[in-house]
Amino acid sequence: MEAFLIIWLILINVIAFYMMGIDKSKARRNKRRISEAALFTAAIIGGGVGAFLGMQVFRHKTKHTKFVIGIPFIMVVQIVLMFWLWLR
């Protein structure tokens, strides 16, 4: 189970990171975008770190208050939860 969790976290964080990059690219080209709900869902289901890094690297959603507050909050909660689970 622990190996599955580690693999899941790596995959979902990579996916969340790339979702931010893809959405930024689509925004620049006026193409159909990835929904904000999908971006938040990827963060909530374990991709908080990837979504946060994607925001920083691609400079995407950095002027949207719900992302500037929400994504770091999700990331911190996930990191605290992982440390708590690891120390149990």
Side-chain angles (χ1 to χ4, degrees), residues 10-81:
I10 291 169
L11 285 175
I12 195 61
N13 277 286
V14 168
I15 290 168
F17 178 83
Y18 280 109
M19 284 175 72
M20 285 290 184
I22 290 166
D23 192 49
K24 176 69 174 202
S25 175
K26 288 182 174 197
R28 286 183 174 162
R29 295 180 287 132
N30 291 319
K31 300 284 184 179
R32 186 167 180 195
R33 308 274 303 277
I34 298 171
S35 71
E36 290 184 350
L39 296 172
F40 268 109
T41 299
I44 289 169
I45 63 173
V49 172
F52 179 77
L53 291 174
M55 283 177 62
Q56 303 308 308
V57 169
F58 302 113
R59 293 191 178 111
H60 190 51
K61 300 288 188 185
T62 56
K63 294 183 180 179
H64 294 80
T65 304
K66 63 183 169 182
F67 279 87
V68 171
I69 294 171
I71 297 297
F73 177 77
I74 292 167
M75 180 184 68
V76 168
V77 167
Q78 289 174 349
I79 290 170
V80 169
L81 180 61

